[in-house]
């Protein structure tokens, strides 16, 4: 990949492009943070200044101690972790089956799983609402876990399958010759080698569930069951939007995602490459 | 210690038959090599013995017990894979002791055996390393260590040397031969490399297109191939094959020269003549049965390979011991060592006197293991 010696202008251009992209991608995050630490009275007067003339942490204090933010946060954590765990377990099993076994209908199942990914979510919101409502599961976090899991399984399965495909079949066969049952081979040999893949899948699903708004908005209306993205909307009242608190809540919401990615990034980088490229 | 028998074994994938009517007796302690071109079914056969592929039809027994439906782990067979298949997350010692770990053998026992195997294979200094920190040859040794530590009934090798470079391959081949002498265990070895087959095997099984072509000792296959396929597959360099017209007491090659073949019957049916490069003599131009012009001459020091163009016949290869002072473009005469010639009928079957060889009937019959067939003293030299 790396060219041994490239023209200086090319190098500069390359870094300029990278810088441009990073600025573009990170600026909203910066703006989020800036508004969160800007005192309320300055938000509109200094609207376009890159840095406010005074700083405050009042927004954070209010969000943490005077709103239901912590409850939303806890709900989101529960839903995201639950979804990530359930999805990863199912996807790992399905991915393993797709990677290792030949069975009737395998191609059909893969095709159907692909089809589920082709529809815009908006199209199925109403039916999903109807189903969940008739099951009496509106306003429950479990229903969110079930719905998110259903939506994430296809992609997660393909991801896991590519990780399993990257692990030579010989290893399992060697383990079986060494006296393992198939399950023992899976547990003692394949599982440890799949950890990067599991990490990548967990991270992907966690993030997807953490930031999901549409279904949470439709299926949850009670304050105590709101997830964090829905809760953010409570900062929008009839007559005003409490920008400072909303942004402070947003900054806080980034923390778990960041922690999670710091925790798994070692596996993620290794995982995404080792899964995608064989050998 | 195991005697392995295959009776009328068939393997099908859907409608595709990859192995047909495989009948094979492998004696206790015998070193059997399955050899053939890629796609001939040799690896499938090995994997069926291992239990990694189900057997479609027929019986497979070890020491008289039917094994078709026994799980790999209960067959007590060890296998060395082409890719080595070392567990990447375990160090060398744990890789080697893994089977004992699974069997829950006493820890001290396991440590002792691993140490013993590591000593035998020259791996003692490496037991704490992960496979990725080992060279190809060392990985191969670990894979062998993992197999021998279990003291299994039989060993299976699936092209174990094909990922190694030439020098290492020769070295590891010797180690495998030593291992067999030392353990005296039944071994089944798959390779597409006929030099490995000839040097290691007590008996070679030549497979092609899902059929056993011939089973026999390396010398039998070399001297009395059952058909043209075996004749051309075994022996290096490859046997020359010329189209001929069969006559009463000999054959006539395409440029009109008749060769008397008194030792061979059925010359009338012959359509092709096979002569190995080492069974052609170079004589001065004008002498010998046919004349030719040296095209390419390879001086290997110990041998000289001459590719000669024969008018009306094409190219023939001649191999002579020592350094023969012939240069490209020289005219030369060739003499056939007719006593070593082979003739083939139109269907490729070798034609020969009934006495002394019934190779066709030999498939499935195991001759007693000849202890004097030192695997490393077979006449073929390594081409490398």
């Amino acid at each position: 990949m790396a060219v041994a010696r490239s023209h200086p202008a090319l190098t500069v251009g390359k870094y300029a492009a990278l810088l441009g992209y990073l600025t573009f991608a990170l600026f909203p995050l910066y703006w989020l943070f800036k508004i969160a630490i800007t005192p309320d009275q300055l938000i509109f007067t200094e609207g376009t200044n890159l840095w406010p003339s005074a700083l405050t942490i009042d927004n954070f204090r209010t969000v943490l101690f005077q709103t239901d933010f912590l409850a939303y946060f806890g709900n989101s954590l529960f839903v995201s972790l639950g979804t990530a765990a359930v999805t990863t377990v199912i996807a790992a099993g399905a991915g393993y089956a797709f990677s290792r076994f030949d069975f009737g209908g395998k191609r059909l199942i893969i095709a159907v799983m692909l089809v589920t990914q082709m529809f815009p979510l908006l199209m199925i919101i109403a039916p999903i609402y109807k189903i969940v409502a008739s099951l009496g599961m509106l306003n429950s976090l479990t229903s969110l876990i079930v719905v998110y899991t259903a939506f994430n399984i296809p992609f997660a399965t393909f991801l896991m399958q590519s990780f399993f495909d990257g692990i030579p079949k010989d290893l399992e066969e060697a383990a079986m010759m060494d006296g393992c049952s198939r399950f023992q081979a899976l547990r003692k040999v394949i599982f440890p080698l799949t950890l990067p893949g599991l990490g990548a899948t967990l991270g992907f699903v966690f993030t997807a569930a953490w930031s999901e708004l549409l279904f949470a908005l439709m299926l949850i209306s009670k304050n105590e069951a709101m997830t964090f993205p829905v809760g953010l909307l409570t900062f929008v009242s009839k007559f005003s939007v409490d920008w400072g608190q909303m942004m402070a809540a947003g900054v806080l919401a980034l923390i778990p995602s960041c922690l999670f990615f710091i925790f798994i990034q070692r596996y993620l980088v290794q995982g995404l490459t080792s899964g995608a490229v064989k050998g | 210690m195991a005697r392995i028998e295959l009776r009328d074994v068939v393997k099908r994938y859907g409608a595709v038959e990859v192995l047909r009517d495989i009948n094979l007796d492998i004696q206790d302690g015998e070193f059997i090599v399955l050899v053939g071109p890629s796609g001939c079914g040799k690896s499938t056969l090995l994997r069926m013995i291992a239990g990694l592929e189900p057997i479609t039809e027929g019986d497979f027994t070890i020491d008289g017990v039917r094994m078709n439906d026994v799980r790999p782990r209960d067959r007590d067979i060890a296998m060395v894979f082409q890719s080595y298949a070392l567990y990447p997350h375990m160090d060398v010692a744990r890789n080697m002791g893994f089977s004992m770990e699974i069997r829950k053998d006493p820890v001290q026992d396991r440590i002792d055996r691993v140490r013993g195997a590591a000593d035998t294979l020259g791996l003692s200094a490496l037991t704490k390393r992960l496979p990725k920190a080992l060279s190809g040859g060392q990985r191969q040794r670990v894979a062998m260590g993992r197999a021998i530590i279990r003291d299994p009934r039989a060993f299976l090798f699936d092209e174990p040397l094909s990922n190694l470079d030439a020098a290492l391959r020769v070295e590891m081949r010797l180690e495998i031969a030593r291992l067999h002498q030392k353990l005296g265990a039944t071994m089944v070895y798959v390779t597409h490399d006929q030099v490995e087959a000839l040097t290691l095997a007590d008996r070679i099984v030549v497979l092609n297109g899902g059929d056993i072509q011939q089973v026999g000792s390396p010398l039998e296959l070399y001297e009395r191939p059952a058909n043209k396929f075996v004749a051309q597959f075994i022996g290096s360099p490859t046997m020359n094959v010329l189209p001929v017209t069969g006559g009463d007491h000999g054959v006539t090659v395409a440029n009109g020269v008749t060769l008397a073949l008194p030792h061979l019957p059925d010359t009338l049916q012959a359509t092709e003549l096979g002569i190995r490069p080492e069974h052609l003599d170079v004589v001065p131009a004008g002498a010998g049965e046919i004349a030719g012009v040296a095209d390419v001459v390879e001086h290997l020091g110990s041998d000289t390979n001459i590719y000669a163009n024969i008018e009306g016949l094409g190219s023939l290869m001649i191999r002579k011991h020592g350094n023969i002072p012939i240069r490209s473009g020289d005219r030369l005469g060739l003499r056939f060592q007719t006593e070593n010639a082979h003739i083939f009928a139109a269907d490729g079957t070798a034609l020969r006197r009934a006495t002394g060889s019934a190779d066709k009937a030999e498939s499935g019959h195991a001759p007693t293991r000849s202890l004097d067939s030192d695997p490393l003293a077979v006449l073929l030299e390594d081409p490398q």
Side-chain angles (χ1 to χ4, degrees), chain A residues 159-160 163 167 190-203 264-275:
Chain A
L159 198 62
M160 284 310 298
F163 285 116
I167 299 174
I190 303 303
F191 176 72
L193 298 175
T194 324
L195 284 177
L198 291 172
T201 310
L202 272 176
I264 64 164
Q265 60 114 9
R266 191 161 58 101
Y267 298 108
L268 193 67
V269 174
Q270 193 188 348
L272 287 178
T273 50
S274 75

Side-chain angles (χ1 to χ4, degrees), chain A residues 12-13 27 36 80 83 92 103-104 132 176 182 205 274:
Chain A
V12 171
F27 187 77
S80 302
T83 306
F103 47 88
V132 173
M176 287 196 269
R182 182 171 274 280
V205 179
S274 75

Side-chain angles (χ1 to χ4, degrees), chain A residues 36-37 39 55-64 66 245 248:
Chain A
I37 55 171
L55 301 179
T56 176
I57 56 162
D58 280 351
N59 289 327
F60 288 96
R61 207 176 280 141
T62 319
V63 164
L64 283 175
Q66 284 160 36
Q245 288 178 27

Side-chain angles (χ1 to χ4, degrees), chain B residues 36-67:
Chain B
S38 54
C40 70
K42 56 191 189 299
S43 283
T44 308
L45 184 56
L46 192 78
R47 291 169 56 81
M48 281 163 37
I49 296 174
L52 299 172
E53 292 283 347
I55 297 169
T56 316
E57 265 174 40
D59 296 311
F60 160 54
T61 62
I62 300 179
D63 292 333
V65 182
R66 193 170 188 272
M67 285 283 158

Side-chain angles (χ1 to χ4, degrees), chain A residues 168-182 184 188-190 192-193, chain B residues 47 50 52 72-73 77 79 81 83 85-90 98-99 101-102 146 150:
Chain A
K169 231 175 165 174
D170 282 359
L171 288 182
E172 271 159 296
E173 291 179 343
M176 287 196 269
M177 296 300 296
D178 266 348
C180 289
S181 62
R182 182 171 274 280
Q184 270 178 316
K188 293 205 176 253
V189 176
I190 303 303
L193 298 175
Chain B
R47 291 169 56 81
L52 299 172
R73 56 181 291 197
I77 293 175
M79 180 157 165
F81 290 77
S83 63
L86 301 181
Y87 312 123
H89 56 299
M90 302 181 192
F98 187 66
S99 59
E101 184 183 324
I102 293 295
R146 193 167 66 181
R150 297 170 41 190

